[in-house]
Amino acid sequence: MRSLNYLIHVVLSVFFIMQIGALAAQTEYKITGQLLDKKEQPVMYANVALLNSADSSIIAGTVSGQTGKFELKYNNPGSYLISASFVGFIPVQKKVELLGNQLVDLGKIILLAKKTELNEVIIKGERLKAKLQVDKTTYYANSAMKKISNNGIDMIQHIPGVQVDLLQNISLNGSQDIIIIINGIERDGSFLAQLNPDKIDRVEIQNSPGVEHNAKFSGVINVILKKNENTGISGHLYANIPTASNEVFSFPTASLNYASENLTLYTAYNGEFSYFDIETEDKRVFSSSTSISDVIKNESLFQQNWSHKLHFGADYFFNENNQLNLYGFISRFSNEQSGSFCLKQFNITSENHLMQYKKDDFDINSSAYASVFFKHIFAESTELSFDVNYYSLESENRIRLSDMNSNREQVSHSKPRNNLLKTRLNFHFPVNQFIGVKTGFEQNLNYSSDDLMPEFSYTEITSAAYILANYSKNKVQANAGIRAEYLQYGNNNSYKNQAIALPALHIKYQLSGREHLRFSYKQGIVRPPVFQLNPNLQTIDFYTTQKGNPELNPELNHNLNLDYSLTFNNNFLNAGLFYTYKQDAIETLTLLNNEVFLEKEKQNLGNIHLLGVNASGNFKLHEKISINPHIRFYYVQTRGNDLAQAYHIKNKQAINFESALSAILLMKHNFALSVTAQYNSPLTRIQNDYREDALYFISFEKTFFDQLKLSITSAIPFKKEFTYQGYDISGRNFRQSTEENIQMSLFPVWFKLSYSFASGKKAKQFESENSFEENRPQKGF
């Protein structure tokens, strides 16, 4: 109760301090207006500046909102100029007199597109590439990105910091603990895969999410679609066509939409098919006071991943102020690795052994999701929203290991279930011209069990409330908030309680018209997903077992960032410093038991410090060539807790880096070439060090009639083998080094085909802040 009272005092203090600052300001003149193009469509994020009428020096500035409206304030009376400009439009200036009337409304201001005609050739202004904002960085989809992309996932590969692997797993700054949002509604990568890239207007990246988001997420990718979708029927088809049966990476999608003036119905299908050969070499050294043993495992597996997911939903506008969204999906998926492996044991004091085994893997999963979302708008910038979501997962996983030289057999079998019910209420409102407030409440009920293990029955109940205040005046923008969470969790009626307050702060200062500086701080909490909690013992081989841990404590994270951005010649550069502190880090503990077997179990192993620099940008080297680089260098320091030290896990210090690059070359006759590449140094963790090979894609594409695209894509040509995961582990009396490789042809090739169609006139489009994330356990690649 004392901590809760303290939390309330902190929130109220911040709120009243900001209010007092606003009230203490001088009496101000307010200049308002709305920027529109010649079709009276809003011009969003245009620069609006108040200029000195004598020398045209900039006195104050702002940007237009999503409706094209702007508001600018200044204290001193006199004669001035208002300048409105945006890339691709002719700048406009208007005289304003700040005298007796404190409100000056300029009404509608029409911006005309730049257009120069020379011998029937039309040259249009180019769109702004990116913009640094107080809590996010916005990247605008340009024609080059759309031309080289077949779907939404292809598009975001060209956003700095976003990485996509062979199985279309999406990460941001090396982390997959992220939210993917489409127009304010949380989705997943499969939903993004069925999007027509031509519908994408911009992508907002949050490397330090605010308190309105679940505190476990390290980043947000928010994809904003173009306004005013067409009525009638529209759709998008996409297919990957492999050229080899053991080299299948296919993700077909199909979407169909019907829209009328107030109603939109939509459905979509996502398939995921990946079949490939995996070769694993695992070396282990066991030592004792009397002997040293070497065990080498060579494994040949065929990984079969498949998934079918059907999406369906409806958006309905009762009127301009009341909106309803219904959405759901059903899914069935599998991830299996079957094959054989041999174990070679060498011991200097005894006879050597060679053992051969067969592995049969069976995995089947069924999931379903349903959500209802309602939003009521009271007035501009004031709205109330409510949503309820339900998710269900049923699985059966069975691994059978058979000794090919005897009748010995070992079976691991589990039937986990997971049910999640989530409700949320949000309220947004303005306090005055400087301050806006967001507040909300969230309740989550998460239940997990295993039909074959009655003693495992895990329940997690989370209650959360947040308040976020936004402040904007002249060159300063800021938001500060706090999220309070109360958690009850435990197994079989043995519960623990935890209350925590998680603050966040973002401040942006405009150094000049082209330069911005931003500081952010966020405290987060990572709770383990269900597959890290299930204590059902799984046998990897006859020398290795693994299991989850229902006694895990949440992991706390502290993140500090300082970013500098510069826009020049329509190029964008972002560079900065960052520091991350992970407390009670959840990692896999590997130990050697008395029977000389390796046991793997999830544990809280200690603390990790990361301190580094990062740089990214969007650059146009030539009229037809653009590149998007991203790199992070950081110093890592690990500090194991008492448990880690008991198993002789040493503290570490290392330099790590992560890098990515995408490049686009536009050619004549609607041909385009793109390259995406990513490479990370070995990643240092408390007990394990992870590594992987560089991954790069080359794609050559031709567009027909603006609707049909055909492309040829190759991944990692000339390599023949790709290490998707390698790791080194050391502990008390053992060392382990493992390398898991995908076998590839000399020049692996896939064909891609996409087609889009639309009819009708423009209709309304739905926006919400619904949220959901489907967690799946990782197996193999």
Side-chain angles (χ1 to χ4, degrees), residues 407-529:
N407 293 324
R408 188 167 61 143
E409 186 176 86
Q410 190 163 344
V411 178
S412 301
H413 196 189
S414 64
K415 289 186 175 181
R417 295 174 179 267
N418 181 222
N419 293 277
L420 173 65
L421 178 64
K422 177 178 178 179
T423 58
R424 184 169 60 172
L425 180 71
N426 291 316
F427 184 48
H428 304 173
F429 62 95
V431 176
N432 55 34
Q433 64 265 39
F434 303 110
I435 300 174
V437 172
K438 296 182 179 181
T439 185
F441 176 78
E442 191 174 303
Q443 180 86 29
N444 296 334
L445 172 61
N446 192 350
Y447 175 74
S448 303
S449 63
D450 192 315
D451 291 352
L452 301 181
M453 182 174 282
E455 62 270 24
F456 174 61
S457 177
Y458 182 84
T459 303
E460 181 180 286
I461 303 173
T462 307
S463 302
Y466 76 89
I467 184 170
L468 174 69
N470 296 288
Y471 176 79
S472 178
K473 182 180 179 182
N474 297 331
K475 296 185 177 182
V476 178
Q477 291 179 301
N479 65 46
I482 196 160
R483 183 182 181 93
E485 294 192 355
Y486 179 72
L487 176 68
Q488 295 175 286
Y489 63 102
N491 183 39
N492 276 340
N493 298 318
S494 176
Y495 294 109
K496 298 179 182 179
N497 299 322
Q498 183 187 47
I500 189 169
L502 304 167
L505 173 67
H506 301 84
I507 302 174
K508 183 179 78 77
Y509 180 73
Q510 182 178 341
L511 299 172
S512 68
R514 303 185 305 153
E515 299 173 287
H516 297 83
L517 194 65
R518 180 177 66 192
F519 169 81
S520 64
Y521 167 75
K522 180 203 171 185
Q523 184 175 342
I525 184 169
V526 178
R527 298 189 175 92

Side-chain angles (χ1 to χ4, degrees), residues 315-353:
D315 300 332
Y316 183 68
F317 292 77
F318 296 94
N319 50 47
E320 292 295 332
N321 297 326
N322 294 282
Q323 305 167 10
L324 176 69
N325 167 262
L326 305 175
Y327 170 73
F329 69 73
I330 53 176
S331 175
R332 195 165 175 84
F333 58 93
S334 176
N335 183 347
E336 297 176 345
Q337 289 183 312
S338 297
S340 62
F341 61 92
C342 67
L343 290 173
K344 302 174 185 178
Q345 183 176 4
F346 305 90
N347 193 314
I348 60 175
T349 62
S350 63
E351 184 179 349
N352 297 334
H353 297 278

Side-chain angles (χ1 to χ4, degrees), residues 4-193:
L4 180 60
N5 290 334
Y6 175 74
L7 169 63
I8 294 172
H9 284 305
V10 170
V11 174
L12 291 177
S13 298
V14 172
F15 179 77
F16 284 126
I17 288 172
M18 297 177 75
Q19 284 281 66
I20 292 171
L23 293 174
Q26 302 177 30
T27 301
E28 293 185 319
Y29 296 96
K30 182 190 296 185
I31 306 168
T32 61
Q34 184 179 25
L35 303 181
L36 305 172
D37 61 19
K38 66 179 182 179
K39 296 181 180 180
E40 294 207 353
Q41 295 297 311
V43 179
M44 300 179 288
Y45 310 112
N47 294 315
V48 181
L50 182 67
L51 308 179
N52 189 313
S53 58
D55 57 8
S56 296
S57 60
I58 297 177
I59 299 172
T62 186
V63 295
S64 59
Q66 293 191 5
T67 61
K69 294 182 179 180
F70 66 88
E71 182 178 294
L72 201 150
K73 308 173 186 68
Y74 191 56
N75 295 326
N76 298 329
S79 298
Y80 301 94
L81 296 173
I82 281 287
S83 171
S85 62
F86 192 69
V87 175
F89 290 89
I90 300 172
V92 172
Q93 287 190 354
K94 285 183 173 291
K95 291 183 179 181
V96 293
E97 299 287 339
L98 303 184
L99 298 173
N101 191 356
Q102 295 181 4
L103 174 61
V104 179
D105 186 5
L106 300 178
K108 296 180 180 180
I109 301 175
I110 304 299
L111 297 182
L112 299 178
K114 290 181 180 178
K115 184 181 297 185
T116 303
E117 298 190 19
L118 296 172
N119 297 326
E120 297 184 350
V121 176
I122 299 176
I123 304 173
K124 296 183 179 179
E126 186 184 359
R127 194 179 190 192
L128 185 69
K129 283 185 167 57
K131 185 179 183 67
L132 189 75
Q133 295 170 275
V134 62
D135 57 355
K136 61 194 173 190
T137 303
T138 300
Y139 296 91
Y140 296 94
N142 55 46
S143 58
M145 296 167 64
K146 294 177 181 178
K147 184 162 290 189
I148 203 64
S149 301
N150 288 282
N151 58 24
I153 288 185
D154 285 352
M155 172 78 76
I156 67 169
Q157 288 188 85
H158 298 285
I159 302 298
V162 178
Q163 296 179 334
V164 180
D165 66 20
L166 274 170
L167 297 190
Q168 297 201 342
N169 297 307
I170 302 170
S171 59
L172 179 62
N173 293 327
S175 173
Q176 292 188 20
D177 292 327
I178 60 174
I179 317 172
I180 297 174
I181 298 175
I182 312 296
N183 268 4
I185 305 177
E186 186 172 339
R187 301 300 194 208
D188 57 12
S190 65
F191 193 92
L192 187 60

Side-chain angles (χ1 to χ4, degrees), residues 97-316:
E97 299 287 339
L98 303 184
L99 298 173
N101 191 356
Q102 295 181 4
L103 174 61
V104 179
D105 186 5
L106 300 178
K108 296 180 180 180
I109 301 175
I110 304 299
L111 297 182
L112 299 178
K114 290 181 180 178
K115 184 181 297 185
T116 303
E117 298 190 19
L118 296 172
N119 297 326
E120 297 184 350
V121 176
I122 299 176
I123 304 173
K124 296 183 179 179
E126 186 184 359
R127 194 179 190 192
L128 185 69
K129 283 185 167 57
K131 185 179 183 67
L132 189 75
Q133 295 170 275
V134 62
D135 57 355
K136 61 194 173 190
T137 303
T138 300
Y139 296 91
Y140 296 94
N142 55 46
S143 58
M145 296 167 64
K146 294 177 181 178
K147 184 162 290 189
I148 203 64
S149 301
N150 288 282
N151 58 24
I153 288 185
D154 285 352
M155 172 78 76
I156 67 169
Q157 288 188 85
H158 298 285
I159 302 298
V162 178
Q163 296 179 334
V164 180
D165 66 20
L166 274 170
L167 297 190
Q168 297 201 342
N169 297 307
I170 302 170
S171 59
L172 179 62
N173 293 327
S175 173
Q176 292 188 20
D177 292 327
I178 60 174
I179 317 172
I180 297 174
I181 298 175
I182 312 296
N183 268 4
I185 305 177
E186 186 172 339
R187 301 300 194 208
D188 57 12
S190 65
F191 193 92
L192 187 60
Q194 55 86 29
L195 279 181
N196 182 350
D198 292 334
K199 293 184 178 182
I200 297 177
D201 181 70
R202 61 191 185 276
V203 179
E204 298 174 346
I205 299 295
Q206 295 186 37
N207 292 313
S208 179
V211 295
E212 66 271 31
H213 297 293
N214 192 310
K216 73 176 181 178
F217 293 115
S218 62
V220 176
I221 300 176
N222 186 17
V223 179
I224 308 297
L225 305 182
K226 291 179 180 178
K227 299 285 186 181
N228 300 319
E229 292 297 316
N230 289 341
T231 60
I233 297 175
S234 62
H236 180 68
L237 302 174
Y238 170 73
N240 304 71
I241 306 171
T243 58
S245 60
N246 64 339
E247 220 166 58
V248 176
F249 299 91
S250 182
F251 307 92
T253 65
S255 64
L256 184 65
N257 304 271
Y258 170 76
S260 62
E261 185 66 24
N262 293 315
L263 175 66
T264 300
L265 302 175
Y266 53 90
T267 185
Y269 165 78
N270 286 91
E272 299 178 14
F273 306 95
S274 52
Y275 306 139
F276 46 86
D277 294 312
I278 294 178
E279 297 288 338
T280 300
E281 184 177 64
D282 180 89
K283 298 178 181 179
R284 310 171 191 182
V285 178
F286 305 139
S287 61
S288 66
S289 58
T290 58
S291 67
I292 298 178
S293 297
D294 290 352
V295 175
I296 297 177
K297 182 176 78 168
N298 295 106
E299 192 171 43
S300 296
L301 300 175
F302 186 62
Q303 179 157 325
Q304 295 178 290
N305 295 351
W306 59 262
S307 172
H308 302 281
K309 180 179 283 189
L310 181 64
H311 311 258
F312 46 89
D315 300 332
Y316 183 68

Side-chain angles (χ1 to χ4, degrees), residues 360 400-403 406-411 542:
D360 293 311
R400 174 179 281 105
L401 299 178
S402 305
D403 191 335
S406 68
N407 293 324
R408 188 167 61 143
E409 186 176 86
Q410 190 163 344
V411 178
F542 283 105

